[in-house]
């Protein structure tokens, strides 16, 4: 894989002398005891993503601890969805808490600053929800188990074009976020590739409340389909305002729309939304249903894609830690890179040579207030 000694792993956080005493590495017998940092959105806009992610991680960790092969101590930090806070949280985890690996952060915008820092420090980091172009390519220590927009968007647009007579599309996207911009790039490229006419391209910013100007323009161009690249807060409001204005064209959304928060906020206006995701909670699969049951019993609501991806990610990490047989950052990174044919609740996944996920998405739609198979 051509791994260089870049950063070398933990130079700043290991005790002087390099090697940790065996007693610190082994909890009891040969159970490897590892500190795992988590950077997630726990407060503010986007906390719906972070809540699902941390719930998924905690549930997985409970089971992993019970199985007793490795012991992961989760140290959870709030990024509030902000780049600077994500970075300072990660620095604290790496430099003071001596973590062997990091799960998160939630947004690609955050990963764009945290990823290079983790890579420089030689700390393996797994994004469980980051879908922008270029995330695993940040460096050898950066992985993700979330399907990139570049794989999901073609699948959802393809399904929409097959189901409806689509010739003209309008695009709306957030121009101040790494993920929403990347999703837009893919949407535009796919539309062009398919020979669809792009009637208008509209932009918005995080936290915007009024989309009247953008939606009026979209309505005037009478598209057959609207492609939206947004996080759930903005995305849901865009859908409700569109329906209130009498826009009836179906929406295709990127990863930001894969949250039940969209249904909570937009209600009926969310009906008909088309997305692509590796997670389908009603899949007739023993492992999936067991997870749904356990999660629902624990948290009083069904898991979403973000919970499922986080749950699988912690198992992928636990598996790598077990194979590494130590808390050494480099050894864990190398074991992670060798993850092939891992069977989780999302299905079977592998990391490619860049640390990106290899897995096919499923196309879903919102029907009767619920994500269902789009067919
Ligand atoms: C990203 C995303 C967001 C929707 C994560 C919550 O996909 O920032 O990459």
């Amino acid at each position: 894989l051509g791994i260089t000694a870049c950063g070398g792993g933990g130079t700043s956080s290991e005790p002087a002398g390099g090697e940790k005493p065996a007693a610190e590495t082994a909890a009891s017998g040969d159970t490897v005891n590892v500190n795992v940092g988590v950077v997630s959105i726990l407060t503010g806009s986007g906390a719906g993503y972070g809540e699902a992610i941390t719930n998924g991680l905690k549930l997985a960790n409970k089971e992993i601890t019970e199985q007793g092969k490795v012991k992961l101590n989760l140290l959870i930090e709030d990024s509030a969805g902000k780049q600077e806070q994500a970075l300072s949280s990660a620095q604290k985890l790496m430099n003071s808490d001596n973590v062997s690996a990091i799960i998160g952060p939630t947004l690609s915008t955050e990963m764009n600053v945290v990823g290079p820092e983790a890579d420089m420090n030689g700390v393996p980091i797994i994004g469980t929800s980051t879908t922008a172009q270029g995330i695993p390519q940040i460096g050898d220590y950066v992985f993700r188990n979330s399907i990139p927009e570049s794989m999901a968007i073609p699948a959802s647009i393809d399904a929409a074009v097959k189901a409806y007579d689509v010739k003209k599309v309008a695009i709306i996207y957030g121009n101040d976020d790494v993920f929403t911009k990347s999703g837009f790039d893919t949407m535009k490229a796919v539309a062009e590739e398919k020979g669809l006419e792009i009637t208008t391209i509209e932009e918005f910013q995080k936290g915007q409340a009024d989309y009247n100007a953008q939606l009026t323009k979209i309505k005037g161009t009478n598209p057959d389909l609207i492609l939206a690249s947004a996080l759930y807060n903005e995305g849901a409001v865009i859908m409700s305002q569109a329906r209130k204005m009498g826009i009836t064209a179906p929406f295709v959304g990127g990863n930001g729309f894969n949250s039940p928060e969209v249904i909570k906020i937009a209600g009926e206006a969310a009906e008909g939304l088309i997305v692509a995701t590796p997670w389908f909670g009603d899949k007739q699969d023993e492992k999936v249903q067991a997870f749904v049951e356990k999660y629902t019993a624990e948290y009083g609501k069904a898991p979403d894609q973000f919970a499922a991806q986080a749950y699988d990610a912690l198992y992928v990490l636990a598996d790598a830690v077990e194979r590494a047989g130590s808390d050494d950052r480099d050894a864990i990174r190398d074991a992670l890179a060798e993850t092939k044919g891992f069977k989780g609740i999302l299905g079977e996944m592998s990391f490619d040579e860049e640390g990106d996920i290899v897995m096919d998405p499923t196309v879903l739609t919102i029907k009767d207030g619920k994500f269902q198979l789009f067919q």
Side-chain angles (χ1 to χ4, degrees), residues 49 106-109 129-132 149 177 179 230-231 255-256 306:
Y49 297 127
T106 305
L107 304 176
S108 293
T109 288
S129 55
T130 40
T131 62
E149 295 304 293
D177 175 89
F179 146 76
L231 296 167
N255 192 46
F306 296 93

Side-chain angles (χ1 to χ4, degrees), residues 9 29 37 74 85 103 110 113 123 125 139 218 231 247 256 315 333 336 339 356:
L74 295 185
Q85 197 168 323
I103 302 271
E110 300 170 305
V113 298
V123 177
I125 182 164
I218 289 176
L231 296 167
I247 296 174
Y315 268 102
R333 190 232 79 99
L336 271 176
T339 302
D356 212 348

Side-chain angles (χ1 to χ4, degrees), residues 90-132:
Q91 284 166 333
K92 175 185 172 285
L93 290 165
M94 293 188 280
N95 302 328
S96 309
D97 298 329
N98 197 29
V99 298
S100 293
I102 292 178
I103 302 271
T106 305
L107 304 176
S108 293
T109 288
E110 300 170 305
M111 185 60 113
N112 257 15
V113 298
V114 173
E117 183 78 4
D119 194 59
M120 195 181 72
N121 287 324
V123 177
I125 182 164
I126 311 175
T128 73
S129 55
T130 40
T131 62

